Amino acid sequence: MSNATRLAVIYYSSTGVGTAIAKEIAEAAEKSGAEVRLRKVAELAPQEAIDANPAWAAHHQQTADVPVAVPDDIAWADAVIFGSPTRFGNVSSQLKQFIDTLGPLWMRGQLSDKVYSGFTSSATQHGGQESTLLALYNSFHHFGGIVVAPGFVDQGKWADGNPYGTSHVDGNGSVPVDDVARGAARIQAERVVRIAGAVKAGLAAA
């Protein structure tokens, strides 16, 4: 059996910002030695709403082959990084619906003692990014999870200025995910993998 840290990157993205950050996190985690599952959550919006937005429709088609997250992905993982765009300062309904399916795992104690972290994006500066991450982290406390935010423990985090997680301002699709956000994603992934590995080793030795 592999001793590698198992990381699930589970996210929702309508037009691709979240997907780009999720992929950056997954790649950085793999380079750090983790075994990674990259998963999107199920789309809840009706097809006519998706088709009415060309960017949404294109991304929906482009990511059709990305596996859809299931509760077993959480049970499998030593660490989970969730991603969601901000919706009125909160997580998207798509990600929230997935989190709400985790009740049976929670009842069995299978969500506890894992490392959790998060990332987000918004259309505007100060558009609810920090409140979205803090709202997401409320669930982790109920899980009995270990919240590992990137903080400012790496000098690279001063560039994006968000100690709660990776975030990006996309200007309603006009600003692609840039080097600042990608650097923040790598820092977050490496920190989560390192600390989750230490937690896993400690639990095994206990």
Side-chain angles (χ1 to χ4, degrees), residues 36-198:
V36 178
R37 288 187 185 181
L38 179 65
R39 302 288 189 266
K40 65 183 181 185
V41 297
E43 180 61 80
L44 303 179
Q47 190 63 46
E48 55 266 28
I50 298 171
D51 292 340
N53 182 325
W56 193 356
H59 180 255
H60 187 66
Q61 184 174 16
Q62 290 163 3
T63 57
D65 61 341
V66 178
V68 173
V70 295
D72 181 65
D73 294 317
I74 308 294
W76 166 86
D78 302 307
V80 185
I81 301 179
F82 284 106
S84 171
T86 182
R87 294 289 185 261
F88 301 114
N90 212 321
V91 299
S92 67
S93 57
Q94 289 88 346
L95 183 63
K96 182 60 167 61
Q97 192 277 337
F98 174 75
I99 290 173
D100 286 346
T101 69
L102 302 178
L105 291 182
W106 172 74
M107 291 290 291
R108 295 194 295 269
Q110 291 181 272
L111 300 180
S112 64
D113 299 336
K114 298 177 185 289
V115 164
Y116 295 92
S117 200
F119 64 91
T120 190
S121 65
S122 63
T124 59
Q125 190 77 30
H126 308 298
Q129 294 181 349
E130 292 179 354
S131 64
T132 295
L133 292 171
L134 290 171
L136 175 63
Y137 293 175
N138 285 336
S139 295
F140 304 160
H141 296 300
H142 285 258
F143 294 170
I146 301 163
V147 179
V148 175
F152 289 123
V153 298
D154 187 296
Q155 287 295 316
K157 277 298 291 178
W158 292 101
D160 83 316
N162 188 346
Y164 301 96
T166 299
S167 59
H168 176 67
V169 177
D170 71 5
N172 284 314
S174 64
V175 183
V177 176
D178 57 16
D179 289 343
V180 171
R182 292 182 186 280
R186 291 191 293 271
I187 290 167
Q188 185 172 12
E190 291 163 1
R191 179 169 165 79
V192 166
V193 169
R194 177 169 57 83
I195 294 178

